[in-house]
Amino acid sequence: MNITYITEYFPYEGDKDISGGVEARCFNIAKRMSKKHNISIITSWREGQERKQIYGKIKIFKVGPHHPYSNEGNIITRLKFAIAAYNSAKKLKADIIEGYNFISYLPAYYAGKKLKAKKIATYHEVWAGEWIKNKGLFVGIFGEIWERWILSLKWDQIIAVSKFTAKRVIKNNISPKKISVIYNGINIKDYKEEETKYKNPTLISISRLTPKKRVQDLINATYLVKKQIPNIKLIIIGKGNESENLKNQVKRLKLEENVKFTGYVKDSKDVIKMLKKSHIFCLPSILEGFGLVLAESMASKTPYVCSDIEVLKEVSQNQRGGLIFKQKDYKDLTNKILFLLKNKKLYATKEEECKKASKKYDWDNISKEVMEIYTK
């Protein structure tokens, strides 16, 4: 089978430089599919990169102008990428063309239509009706028009990464018969090695540093936790446009000795090691398409505290392996962190729950589910 994936970003060095959940999904599924099928990836290009690349048996085509990695704005380069992706995809042989993220859906659909290939969109989150609230007026209007266009098309299949996302797709007049739910995943084998916990009780956050991730709530909670546990530590992994604001917040609260910003950590093995050595993973986000890092926390046997948004309730399997706090309520977050750290019996129970719950998110099993859809 000839399968083409269109995705805005794709790792340049395989699993060593994956920057987000969309990339992780596309890379891991493509790698497994390439064992028996011809896989082509069309993605954006950045200065210093080759235009064509081979990873294992996967052919990677980097198209369009220089397009920096970003979750904010860059409408012009995104549009140029979409056009270039369509022009590249329509020249390839394809039985299936799959769009993997928001900007890639339209080129995937129209290239599929041109080639008479099956057209699939893997949907991570739906913002129809909420674009202006989430992104402001200018970007919001563009996003609203673009997504309404996407959802009006006759897709052969839409794969939603959660039941939460599937419900939101259905609300936009898509037939449930056209939608399948297949979760994001993790490489379970990457988490088998044991690590000794840090000497000091340590919280860890792994996310893009953007307003919707609400890392400021975690910093406020750390300030309150410190009053009862003076040697508490917080590791913040990630980068984003909120970085300076968060660092200034740490200074105002005099938490410089307690909070460490690592920036973006390139090697996923180093991230896993820090996650396994930490005592609690915290995800205070108010906007997630799936929340893959929650599954990674489970696989690491590191109990979590996450916000009560619907998709995280789903991924956490109703608090298996951790606790849920009321979103934007850093005092409730504080209480849940303290409850886990001080209750050794509960903590041990949550560690065991993590180990069992993570098996649901194994990429090998998830790839088999995707293949069933392709075959059908």
Side-chain angles (χ1 to χ4, degrees), residues 69-82:
Y69 188 92
S70 173
N71 253 3
E72 304 293 329
N74 294 321
I75 290 177
I76 300 303
T77 58
R78 281 195 157 100
L79 284 173
K80 288 181 177 179
F81 162 68

Side-chain angles (χ1 to χ4, degrees), residues 145-340:
I145 292 170
W146 190 271
E147 185 154 36
R148 296 287 182 187
W149 186 359
I150 291 163
L151 293 169
S152 70
L153 299 172
K154 295 180 180 179
W155 295 94
D156 292 292
Q157 188 76 201
I158 290 178
I159 298 174
V161 301
S162 66
K163 293 175 183 176
F164 170 73
T165 298
K167 288 177 189 175
R168 300 196 65 175
V169 173
I170 291 168
K171 282 183 180 178
N172 286 273
N173 300 316
I174 305 293
S175 169
K177 294 178 181 179
K178 293 277 187 180
I179 301 172
S180 300
V181 176
I182 301 179
Y183 290 124
N184 283 331
I186 49 178
N187 294 309
I188 294 290
K189 63 180 182 294
D190 292 344
Y191 295 82
K192 288 183 178 178
E193 190 173 327
E194 295 291 329
E195 295 287 347
T196 302
K197 294 290 185 184
Y198 290 117
K199 182 179 179 181
N200 293 313
T202 302
L203 314 175
I204 189 168
S205 166
I206 305 168
S207 74
R208 293 190 183 94
L209 304 184
T210 60
K212 298 293 182 182
K213 298 296 183 179
R214 300 291 300 184
V215 178
Q216 67 268 34
D217 293 336
L218 179 54
I219 293 172
N220 282 330
T222 303
Y223 173 77
L224 294 179
V225 170
K226 184 182 177 183
K227 292 181 178 182
Q228 296 190 41
I229 306 176
N231 62 336
I232 189 70
K233 302 293 181 183
L234 168 60
I235 299 171
I236 298 174
I237 299 176
K239 63 179 182 178
N241 57 11
E242 278 291 287
S243 180
E244 286 306 309
N245 290 336
L246 295 171
K247 289 177 181 178
N248 288 334
Q249 181 186 2
V250 166
K251 289 178 183 177
R252 284 196 308 272
L253 296 174
K254 297 180 180 180
L255 291 172
E256 293 97 327
E257 296 299 315
N258 302 86
V259 180
K260 177 183 178 182
F261 290 88
T262 68
Y264 169 63
V265 177
K266 187 176 182 180
D267 195 330
S268 61
K269 291 179 181 178
D270 292 331
V271 176
I272 292 171
K273 186 174 288 188
M274 284 187 278
L275 184 53
K276 289 172 83 64
K277 292 173 75 173
S278 298
H279 295 83
I280 297 177
F281 167 71
C282 296
L283 184 58
S285 177
I286 58 169
L287 187 66
E288 293 288 338
F290 181 78
L292 180 61
V293 73
L294 197 60
E296 293 171 342
S297 172
M298 293 175 184
S300 300
K301 284 183 64 180
T302 298
Y304 59 82
V305 177
C306 69
S307 61
D308 63 353
I309 60 175
E310 190 174 339
V311 71
L312 295 185
K313 289 180 183 178
E314 181 183 340
V315 175
S316 72
Q317 301 169 48
N318 195 26
Q319 301 190 88
R320 287 186 74 194
L323 298 174
I324 290 175
F325 76 98
K326 186 178 179 181
Q327 60 184 285
K328 297 185 181 180
D329 187 343
Y330 68 86
K331 291 182 180 179
D332 189 31
L333 171 57
T334 301
N335 291 335
K336 297 295 166 56
I337 290 170
L338 287 170
F339 192 46
L340 263 181

Side-chain angles (χ1 to χ4, degrees), residues 3-7 10 25-27 29-31 33-34 39-43 58-59 61 89 92 96-100 104 108 122 370 374:
I3 304 168
T4 296
Y5 295 130
I6 303 180
T7 179
F10 193 78
R25 184 181 181 104
C26 191
F27 173 78
I29 289 179
K31 185 170 74 169
M33 293 296 171
S34 68
I39 304 297
S40 297
I41 304 287
I42 296 174
T43 189
I58 302 171
K59 297 176 183 177
F61 302 91
L92 300 175
I96 287 172
I97 295 187
E98 185 168 350
Y100 255 84
S104 71
T122 291
V370 173
Y374 292 171

Side-chain angles (χ1 to χ4, degrees), residues 93 238 314 350 357:
K93 289 182 179 179
E314 181 183 340
K350 292 299 181 182

